[in-house]
Amino acid sequence: MNESSAVDRREPSDVADAVPRTTASYSRVRDRTDELELFISGLLAFALLAVPGYLFDAWARSSLHTEGVYFQALWFAFSIGVGMCYVLAVALIIHLAVRGYWIGLIGLKSHFPKGIDWDRLTMLGPFSRALLKQRDGGLDGTIERADRLATMLFSSTLLCVQTLAGTLVVAIVSLGVAMAIGAAFGDVDRITLAIVAVLMVCLLGLAMVPTLLEKSIARRHARGLDTARQEKRLQSVLAGLQRVPMLRLLQTMQWTLQSNLRGRSFTVIYISAVMLAMVLAALQVYGSMKFSLFNRYSVLTEEAVDHGMLGAHYESLRSAHDQLLPYPMIPADTISASRLRLFIPHRPQRDNPVARQRCAGGARNEAQGPQAATAAVNCMALLWTVQLDGGKVDLHDFVPMERRDLDMRGLVGYLPMADLKPGRHDLRLVWNADGGERGPSRRREYSIPFWYTPEP
């Protein structure tokens, strides 16, 4: 009996000491978080800037071989990955700068505890000194604000990255299931897009269910009606959402920031950062296809160069910058051999929709043996028109070719040069000659001038 009473007497003391012990433990951890933040930021910031280049190379190589929903899936994964890298890298670099500023302020505080000596700032007039002194928070206030800004920036960056990563995981799972169902029914593109659209609508609807139930409960309360059933439904929905690990990770950090900052401003900035991350990938792709994003070429315009010479048409002049330009190409701008090799790349994303309309059997070549090569050549010959110095070139003499050096497949032909005079000659290629002026299946023209210099 006495032992039980002694235990009971100790319990209130233990409970009372729990909060101070927890606070003390958080304080000890908090004293080291700045070091952890600097370590993580310094380790990842500059390394992440190199990752988008590798992702771009992988996407560029893979995208040349796909079409339809497979192409869209690759693009979505690429845009999310590049966006995460750029957002995280830039934000961590800014975080390093703010933390460096914070460290500098602490150093000043240790040597100059009183902060600014306003009486010695004789360059400022008395009115300016009085106003600035009133608005200045002192070293302690500035240190606190810098520390707060760095912590919020670090947490917000991780929140954006977690959102992008969660979106990517949901998209991969959804696309995987949808593509498997589409493949089973034989129409991958349409069925996959339909299933993904339905899933997106369902997810958006599920996110709105708690808000709608809250409004329903509020309206019934105002009318004096029973709300037990609505409250039970709301609890079930919230409990189900809490079982999603990614949502539980996001909500603690998001709601902490959102509830302690201006809610609407935080939400707008948060959503804008996520959208900007995905736009950065499109900007990188656009920049890789253009000669220069910012230029002042008012004389040698893009139209002039298109009817002149493009380095992407010559294998000896191509560079990594031409990776997304799978143009018809020849070995070099000067030809000395007796035959000229012309390689015409095949792009499934662009060629297959037109081939389904024009080629026998559509865009699927199910022939075997030599007939498979013949069927491929016959189909590609319906898509392309080739002329050398105005004379038509017969594409039925070409053969299918796989080039690992270019990571492309296409048709290759060897044009005789014996009857040509030394000097300039022009190859002219037209893809989908009957296509319109707009859209992905529009008519496309390629001009490849070269100089024939026969060996003596």
Side-chain angles (χ1 to χ4, degrees):
M1 213 35 204
N2 292 336
E3 289 181 3
S4 177
S5 300
V7 172
D8 292 340
R9 285 195 299 270
R10 286 195 300 269
E11 286 180 354
S13 175
D14 294 340
V15 173
D17 292 340
V19 174
R21 284 201 303 268
T22 303
T23 303
S25 64
Y26 279 129
S27 298
R28 288 193 299 270
V29 174
R30 178 66 188 86
D31 292 337
R32 302 296 301 274
T33 54
D34 54 333
E35 299 178 11
L36 296 175
E37 288 179 10
L38 285 170
F39 175 76
I40 295 173
S41 297
L43 183 66
L44 295 178
F46 297 98
L48 285 171
L49 290 176
V51 175
Y54 296 103
L55 293 178
F56 174 79
D57 291 338
W59 172 79
R61 290 194 302 270
S62 301
S63 64
L64 290 176
H65 312 303
T66 60
E67 66 155 335
V69 69
Y70 297 97
F71 181 88
Q72 301 299 331
L74 285 174
W75 167 254
F76 186 78
F78 165 71
S79 61
I80 291 288
V82 170
M84 284 195 298
C85 291
Y86 277 131
V87 167
L88 187 57
V90 173
L92 290 180
I93 290 174
I94 298 175
H95 171 262
L96 281 175
V98 175
R99 274 297 175 199
Y101 175 67
W102 175 75
I103 292 172
L105 290 174
I106 292 178
L108 289 175
K109 177 67 177 178
S110 64
H111 291 284
F112 308 103
K114 295 182 179 180
I116 301 174
D117 190 349
W118 294 98
D119 294 332
R120 298 185 64 181
L121 292 178
T122 56
M123 67 184 71
L124 297 176
F127 296 103
S128 298
R129 286 201 304 269
L131 178 63
L132 294 176
K133 184 177 181 179
Q134 182 182 1
R135 294 191 174 185
D136 183 72
L139 278 177
D140 291 333
T142 307
I143 290 172
E144 182 64 26
R145 288 193 297 271
D147 183 38
R148 185 169 180 264
L149 175 61
T151 300
M152 288 192 303
L153 181 62
F154 190 78
S155 301
S156 300
T157 301
L158 293 180
L159 179 62
C160 291
V161 171
Q162 288 175 352
T163 302
L164 290 170
T167 304
L168 181 59
V169 170
V170 172
I172 290 176
V173 173
S174 302
L175 283 172
V177 173
M179 290 169 68
I181 296 174
F185 285 93
D187 192 352
V188 178
D189 287 353
R190 291 185 180 180
I191 294 178
T192 300
L193 292 177
I195 293 176
V196 170
V198 171
L199 288 175
M200 293 302 295
V201 171
C202 292
L203 290 175
L204 291 174
L206 183 61
M208 296 177 64
V209 167
T211 302
L212 296 176
L213 287 175
E214 286 279 4
K215 291 183 177 180
S216 175
I217 293 172
R219 286 195 301 266
R220 293 181 70 87
H221 265 303
R223 297 174 184 174
L225 302 176
D226 180 62
T227 60
R229 184 164 51 181
Q230 285 75 14
E231 291 178 3
K232 187 175 181 180
R233 290 177 181 174
L234 179 59
Q235 292 175 359
S236 301
V237 172
L238 293 177
L241 292 175
Q242 288 292 308
R243 292 190 179 95
V244 181
M246 185 59 67
L247 293 180
R248 297 191 66 179
L249 286 174
L250 289 174
Q251 71 179 24
T252 302
M253 190 174 290
Q254 178 184 349
W255 290 348
T256 300
L257 291 170
Q258 192 169 350
S259 61
N260 289 278
L261 301 174
R262 294 180 179 179
R264 291 185 179 180
S265 300
F266 172 79
T267 303
V268 170
I269 295 174
Y270 169 55
I271 296 176
S272 299
V274 173
M275 298 302 296
L276 177 62
M278 300 183 68
V279 172
L280 290 175
L283 185 63
Q284 181 177 5
V285 172
Y286 181 77
S288 66
M289 297 180 66
K290 293 294 182 180
F291 181 70
S292 175
L293 281 177
F294 309 101
N295 65 78
R296 297 290 294 172
Y297 290 110
S298 57
V299 177
L300 281 177
T301 61
E302 185 173 349
E303 186 69 16
V305 174
D306 286 341
H307 291 80
M309 296 180 67
L310 289 173
H313 286 304
Y314 308 95
E315 296 173 18
S316 61
L317 302 179
R318 287 178 65 90
S319 67
H321 193 66
D322 300 318
Q323 193 170 8
L324 290 181
L325 302 177
Y327 292 167
M329 60 191 80
I330 61 177
D333 54 341
T334 57
I335 302 298
S336 301
S338 60
R339 287 186 177 271
L340 170 66
R341 183 178 69 232
L342 173 61
F343 179 73
I344 304 176
H346 169 51
R347 295 185 61 182
Q349 177 71 7
R350 188 184 64 185
D351 293 346
N352 286 358
V354 181
R356 292 188 184 99
Q357 300 175 2
R358 298 188 180 183
C359 300
R364 183 175 296 277
N365 185 356
E366 298 181 348
Q368 300 293 326
Q371 290 77 16
T374 302
V377 172
N378 292 338
C379 181
M380 292 288 287
L382 297 174
L383 307 182
W384 288 91
T385 301
V386 181
Q387 292 181 341
L388 175 58
D389 292 337
K392 187 175 181 180
V393 176
D394 187 6
L395 290 181
H396 292 89
D397 295 331
F398 284 48
V399 295
M401 185 180 190
E402 180 178 273
R403 297 194 56 173
R404 298 293 179 96
D405 58 332
L406 298 174
D407 205 17
M408 299 180 191
R409 285 181 179 178
L411 295 185
V412 65
Y414 295 84
L415 310 183
M417 299 282 103
D419 297 334
L420 299 183
K421 296 180 180 179
R424 173 176 172 169
H425 299 273
D426 293 275
L427 271 171
R428 185 171 179 269
L429 296 92
V430 179
W431 179 82
N432 195 18
D434 298 330
E437 297 181 358
R438 298 181 181 277
S441 298
R442 66 183 180 275
R443 173 189 174 99
R444 301 172 190 263
E445 298 183 5
Y446 303 92
S447 178
I448 311 178
F450 66 94
W451 278 257
Y452 179 49
T453 55
E455 298 178 353

